[in-house]
Amino acid sequence: MALEDCKMLDLPKISDPRGNLTFIEGEKHIPFRIQRVYYLYDVPGGADRGEHAHKTLRQFMIAMSGSFDITLDDGFSKKTWHLNRSFNGIYISPMMWRSLDNFSSGSVCMVLASDAYDENDYIRDYNEFLSLARRR
Ligand code: TYD
């Protein structure tokens, strides 16, 4: 999987003076069926999250509130995005080492995932990730 597969995707936004509304349908607005939702919150200043890759899992990450940075690394190159809107997010293909940092206070990072939690899908060692990623 190449870094070019990972993109910021704009989501539908219904603007309304009463407040905006955004919705997400799996396989329509993001390229997979949603099997799991989780979120990071109460992240203390200076904390780093992520620091792993997934063998097969696909994810879509949104800053529901506040902001943070995400860096994706496909084993050859890296790219960083600053997420700070609720109407867009980053699509993360399999075999991407991800690092999240620079969380603003009160930020919430919501993640939509293509599968249930499976620790066997994680690669938590960066050198192991590099050797697998560069073999492709
Ligand atoms: P992890 O994915 O390593 O966190 P992050 O990438 O945000 O830094 O998960 C942290 C812990 O939470 C780890 O012990 C596994 C557990 N966990 C679940 O039990 N279910 C889940 O859906 C997720 C995402 C994590």
Side-chain angles (χ1 to χ4, degrees):
M1 289 293 168
L3 198 50
E4 299 77 61
D5 299 325
C6 299
K7 291 188 172 67
M8 181 174 278
L9 301 178
D10 284 327
L11 298 166
K13 180 181 174 190
I14 311 292
S15 299
D16 190 307
R18 299 170 302 157
N20 301 329
L21 184 153
T22 285
F23 53 92
I24 306 166
E25 294 179 16
E27 294 183 305
K28 187 169 176 185
H29 304 111
I30 60 172
F32 56 84
R33 281 185 62 189
I34 300 162
Q35 301 285 8
R36 176 168 52 116
V37 178
Y38 67 92
Y39 33 94
L40 299 171
Y41 54 99
D42 293 346
V43 179
D48 297 332
R49 301 293 312 222
E51 305 300 340
H52 62 256
H54 286 281
K55 296 171 193 163
T56 63
L57 189 73
R58 295 184 285 166
Q59 293 176 307
F60 188 75
M61 204 169 276
I62 306 166
M64 296 301 282
S65 182
S67 64
F68 57 88
D69 292 339
I70 175 165
T71 301
L72 298 180
D73 172 354
D74 66 1
F76 297 96
S77 48
K78 296 181 187 186
K79 186 171 174 183
T80 299
W81 289 265
H82 183 63
L83 292 189
N84 63 352
R85 298 288 178 193
S86 313
F87 56 79
N88 63 27
I90 300 293
Y91 169 67
I92 307 171
S93 60
M95 289 302 289
M96 290 293 149
W97 189 267
R98 84 285 314 276
S99 309
L100 284 80
D101 61 11
N102 201 21
F103 286 88
S104 69
S105 87
S107 58
V108 179
C109 166
M110 185 173 78
V111 185
L112 311 179
S114 63
D115 282 298
Y117 173 72
D118 176 8
E119 185 59 35
N120 292 322
D121 191 64
Y122 280 73
I123 305 167
R124 293 193 182 274
D125 181 86
Y126 187 66
N127 288 327
E128 182 190 351
F129 165 73
L130 278 185
S131 63
L132 286 169
R134 290 181 174 172
R135 196 186 290 167
R136 286 159 183 250

